[in-house]
Amino acid sequence: QKEVEQDPGPLSVPEGAIVSLNCTYSNSAFQYFMWYRQYSRKGPELLMYTYSSGNKEDGRFTAQVDKSSKYISLFIRDSQPSDSATYLCAMSNSGGSNYKLTFGKGTLLTVNP
Amino acid sequence: DAEITQSPRHKITETGRQVTLACHQTWNHNNMFWYRQDLGHGLRLIHYSYGVHDTNKGEVSDGYSVSRSNTEDLPLTLESAASSQTSVYFCASSERLAGTGELFFGEGSRLTVL
């Protein structure tokens, strides 16, 4: 079983739709959860991060972590064509000499006007 | 503004040739990383460095090498390029190795090995 699983999509939605992107993981040591956004032919950029379980909201974006289920989600409300990108989840342990950061494979999202 | 730049952005080479991809960052970050990104595999860590003269192997290091002679640069060398190394390569840097220590990525170098 891969440490981090992410459905690659592609996911195509109409403008204004609510988008749900998800990742599951198997490593209980992961405590920090991040979402990176990658536009076509560009490098990934950090979009949001959360620590442990719970929700975090930033404008139209909400990141959710359920550590008991080892499941994280990114919700995009009122999606816009400019949200079209690949979204990668990433997870890390607490740091130190055994720091480990693992990425999901990414989900390609297209928001159609 | 601080940034991370990669060169060349595109390169076509032949099997067996040595290739070096450059990465330069102006954030003065100690931590630098090289990833390759392929369809179906996502981002895979090739090599990383936690400071000058420090280098470490990642999960797909065979056929690649790096050296760190200063804080700003981490060049990636393919000793003898193979078709399996056709990929998009990303360099990244970060200030800290803990928690949500943000990775700053370059724009990528697209390498084709014929």
Side-chain angles (χ1 to χ4, degrees):
Chain A
Q1 181 187 8
K2 295 278 187 181
E3 274 194 309
V4 179
E5 299 272 11
Q6 182 176 11
D7 186 340
L11 185 61
S12 181
V13 301
E15 184 175 352
I18 297 174
V19 176
S20 173
L21 304 168
N22 312 293
C23 289
T24 59
Y25 64 96
S26 58
N27 188 341
S28 299
F30 289 144
Q31 297 187 39
Y32 297 87
F33 304 91
M34 292 145 276
W35 288 94
Y36 281 78
R37 179 173 60 193
Q38 184 178 20
Y39 290 116
S40 180
R41 299 189 179 272
K42 299 288 187 181
E45 296 175 303
L46 182 64
L47 180 62
M48 292 185 70
Y49 66 87
T50 55
Y51 169 68
S52 194
S53 287
N55 293 358
K56 184 174 183 178
E57 189 172 319
D58 183 2
R60 296 183 294 108
F61 298 88
T62 299
Q64 196 171 77
V65 175
D66 182 350
K67 290 192 72 178
S68 62
S69 301
K70 296 188 176 65
Y71 189 88
I72 72 169
S73 301
L74 178 70
F75 297 97
I76 307 174
R77 292 185 301 278
D78 187 24
S79 57
Q80 301 295 309
S82 58
D83 296 327
S84 298
T86 296
Y87 291 80
L88 301 99
C89 62
M91 308 176 187
S92 69
N93 58 10
S94 58
S97 59
N98 295 318
Y99 179 71
K100 183 180 178 67
L101 173 66
T102 304
F103 285 90
K105 293 181 181 179
T107 300
L108 177 61
L109 171 68
T110 301
V111 181
N112 301 299
Chain B
D1 283 347
E3 60 180 4
I4 181 165
T5 55
Q6 295 184 230
S7 63
R9 295 291 312 280
H10 302 271
K11 185 170 181 67
I12 300 173
T13 191
E14 296 178 342
T15 301
R17 290 194 180 263
Q18 184 180 78
V19 175
T20 296
L21 306 179
C23 175
H24 179 81
Q25 52 99 1
T26 59
W27 276 295
N28 203 36
H29 289 162
N30 283 325
N31 311 305
M32 296 185 71
F33 309 83
W34 273 104
Y35 290 88
R36 60 178 288 176
Q37 187 175 40
D38 305 282
L39 200 63
H41 291 280
L43 283 168
R44 291 183 289 176
L45 184 62
I46 305 172
H47 280 287
Y48 57 101
S49 169
Y50 293 155
V52 177
H53 303 310
D54 175 75
T55 61
N56 305 279
K57 294 182 178 181
E59 61 179 299
V60 290
S61 60
D62 287 348
Y64 303 93
S65 64
V66 294
S67 61
R68 188 88 180 271
S69 59
N70 58 52
T71 301
E72 296 80 18
D73 299 289
L74 187 70
L76 177 71
T77 298
L78 287 69
E79 302 293 344
S80 177
S83 58
S84 60
Q85 294 176 309
T86 292
S87 186
V88 181
Y89 292 86
F90 288 99
C91 181
S93 72
S94 71
E95 182 178 9
R96 57 193 178 94
L97 289 175
T100 57
E102 180 176 358
L103 284 181
F104 293 88
F105 284 87
E107 297 215 320
S109 294
R110 186 175 295 269
L111 176 68
T112 302
V113 183
L114 302 176

